[in-house]
Amino acid sequence: MADVEDQPSNIWPQAVLHLDMDAFFVNVHLLHHPEDVGLPLAVGGQPDHRGVIASASYEARQFGIHSAMPSKSALRLCPHLKIVGSNWSDIRDSSRKVMDILKEYGSIERMSVDEAYVDLSDASDPTLLAKEIRRRVKDETTLPASIGLAASKLVAKVASDFDKPEGSTIVHPGEEAAFLAPQPVRVISGIGPKTAGRLIKIGIKSCGQLANSDLGALQVLFGRHAENMQNRARGIDIRRVSSDRGQRKSISHERTFSQDVNEPEELKSHLQKMAGSISNSLKKRKMVAHTIRLKIRWADFTTFTRQMSREIGTDDELQIYETALIILERNWGGKQKIRLLGLGVSGLESPIVRQKGFGF
DNA sequence: TCTGGGGTCCTAGGACCC
DNA sequence: TCTGGGGTCCTAGGACCC
């Protein structure tokens, strides 16, 4: 989209900036390992541990390597690819610096370590601020980022992804539908591979086609979601930037083993570790959980979950562990090889809320 | 060829209650 | 012979996101 400087600022009913760091994990690594600059590099799990790529350098992307790809496949595409693990303390440090800059400009909604929305509605010229923000992030963290500015979150997000890396895309109010029209439906957040596949079957590939398609035909496939989907393809999205992300709903850990496991003691020790760390997270948040859920993936990748709820919430490691063990024993014959074991809790509640019910 | 980990939200069926 | 109708909670699975 053309970046028009002399638009009057009052044309922005709402101004939303979306900032998306470029190859964030890789670039944070390079900050601390300048010797790796220029290499085909990826951050992710090791190939012999069934790892996947979390982030790939632009050099690695030349070989077709992308995130979520199994590290083994990545190495086949590029045998001299260097794969390093994520350094979470460095990643969180850099993330905090970026978010601190954003907060100076308006209320922010943090979506992950490397992505956030900023509400620039109160600015007299949001387009000027958008550029300033990207420059400051680069100057003060030396990390590249892309930004999108639009009148809605939906369009701002598509815009930030439009011209990566180090892109800066502004979609002025009224230009939303035209901006989206030529792009594939997959750019719309919420339309994943399944939905896109179903749309292709009725001949819809681009946002423009979705926007102009027959609503009735769409309703046959998607029911009451059809109208909303079509609106989104037109760039209509009334969600506001909201810094309050609300309470956590669940806490979970899971572990894919480097080799499938059917040793009871090994499985139990993993459950115990996961129960311990979940218990710690609950205590740190001063919460208790009512539901405990076990996830099992067999060697053939079939995956299922089984859960148990209890009347009284708990944050106790032993109670979580013992419940998990009961579920495991009910669902595992003792011979089948297990590829992944996961443990999670939900039905979270802060005990203080419960006490209020006693009439104090 | 091999498929991570941490989340959210939605749907659908069954149990249970009034 | 025909088998209400809501509402809520629980369980399981699936789509999707980063």
Side-chain angles (χ1 to χ4, degrees):
Chain A
M1 284 294 108
D3 183 357
V4 184
E5 292 278 7
D6 51 12
Q7 295 267 6
S9 58
N10 59 14
I11 61 165
W12 293 92
Q14 185 191 204
V16 181
L17 178 98
H18 182 254
L19 176 129
D20 196 351
M21 302 301 293
D22 301 323
F24 187 55
F25 290 20
V26 158
N27 283 318
V28 171
H29 171 86
L30 292 176
L31 224 49
H32 301 89
H33 299 272
E35 70 278 9
D36 287 343
V37 170
L39 296 182
L41 175 75
V43 176
Q46 291 306 313
D48 54 346
H49 284 69
R50 296 170 157 169
V52 300
I53 302 300
S55 169
S57 70
Y58 286 88
E59 290 82 358
R61 291 182 198 192
Q62 304 281 305
F63 293 86
I65 291 162
H66 56 82
S67 58
M69 168 182 277
S71 298
K72 253 185 193 166
S73 318
L75 271 183
R76 256 194 311 272
L77 291 174
C78 174
H80 53 293
L81 176 71
K82 179 165 180 180
I83 302 178
V84 299
S86 338
N87 184 327
W88 280 100
S89 98
D90 288 346
I91 289 167
R92 271 192 282 264
D93 263 8
S94 288
S95 177
R96 199 170 305 122
K97 283 182 189 145
V98 172
M99 300 297 162
D100 283 347
I101 295 172
L102 298 186
K103 281 178 195 158
E104 292 180 33
Y105 293 87
S107 69
I108 77 165
E109 183 172 343
R110 187 179 171 279
M111 304 306 288
S112 69
V113 282
D114 67 345
E115 198 183 302
Y117 294 99
V118 190
D119 189 346
L120 297 183
S121 303
D122 292 337
S124 64
D125 189 348
T127 63
L128 276 184
L129 288 190
K131 290 182 170 176
E132 182 180 316
I133 288 170
R134 193 172 71 83
R135 187 179 43 74
R136 278 195 59 199
V137 168
K138 177 76 177 188
D139 288 353
E140 293 171 32
T141 70
T142 72
L143 292 165
S146 295
I147 56 150
L149 177 67
S152 69
K153 287 164 79 170
L154 170 81
V155 180
K157 180 162 169 55
V158 179
S160 72
D161 206 41
F162 186 70
D163 191 26
K164 270 181 164 293
E166 303 202 65
S168 178
T169 302
I170 295 170
V171 182
H172 289 96
E175 292 179 345
E176 293 87 356
F179 170 67
L180 292 176
Q183 304 197 51
V185 292
R186 282 288 271 115
V187 302
I188 297 170
S189 173
I191 299 189
K194 299 281 177 183
T195 307
R198 294 169 73 192
L199 284 168
I200 291 239
K201 281 191 186 148
I202 55 170
I204 295 173
K205 293 195 188 105
S206 69
C207 293
Q209 288 172 321
L210 180 54
N212 296 315
S213 64
D214 174 60
L215 183 57
L218 222 50
Q219 277 166 337
V220 173
L221 276 180
F222 301 101
R224 59 195 176 84
H225 299 300
E227 202 170 346
N228 189 247
M229 241 169 78
Q230 197 166 50
N231 278 334
R232 304 191 81 179
R234 294 171 175 151
I236 298 166
D237 170 27
I238 57 163
R239 293 171 303 157
R240 315 291 299 203
V241 175
S242 150
S243 50
D244 172 32
R245 302 235 72 207
Q247 285 279 357
R248 258 284 243 294
K249 305 256 168 62
S250 68
I251 297 168
S252 68
H253 290 295
E254 61 185 59
R255 171 74 193 274
T256 294
F257 307 119
S258 339
Q259 244 109 45
D260 301 337
V261 174
N262 61 359
E263 283 298 321
E265 291 314 311
E266 195 180 342
L267 294 170
K268 282 185 195 172
S269 109
H270 280 292
L271 280 187
Q272 207 150 21
K273 272 184 226 151
M274 293 191 281
S277 127
I278 288 169
S279 160
N280 285 339
S281 309
L282 285 169
K283 286 173 179 159
K284 207 166 71 186
R285 295 182 166 82
K286 300 206 187 323
M287 302 204 81
V288 294
H290 286 263
T291 302
I292 289 149
R293 186 182 64 255
L294 191 74
K295 177 172 170 181
I296 297 175
R297 176 171 290 153
W298 303 129
D300 70 359
F301 221 77
T302 4
T303 309
F304 63 96
T305 63
R306 292 292 179 269
Q307 67 186 48
M308 274 176 81
S309 292
R310 43 164 72 239
E311 188 100 14
I312 315 274
T314 184
D315 62 2
D316 182 64
E317 169 175 355
L318 193 61
Q319 282 188 41
I320 296 170
Y321 169 68
E322 285 177 343
T323 309
L325 202 55
I326 291 170
I327 306 175
L328 179 66
E329 281 162 354
R330 281 187 193 161
N331 292 280
W332 179 57
K335 299 203 81 166
Q336 299 149 90
K337 292 217 168 185
I338 293 179
R339 178 190 175 94
L340 170 150
L341 200 56
L343 181 56
V345 295
S346 59
L348 304 189
E349 175 193 45
S350 129
I352 292 156
V353 170
R354 280 197 303 162
Q355 283 178 9
K356 277 186 183 158
F358 295 141
F360 290 104

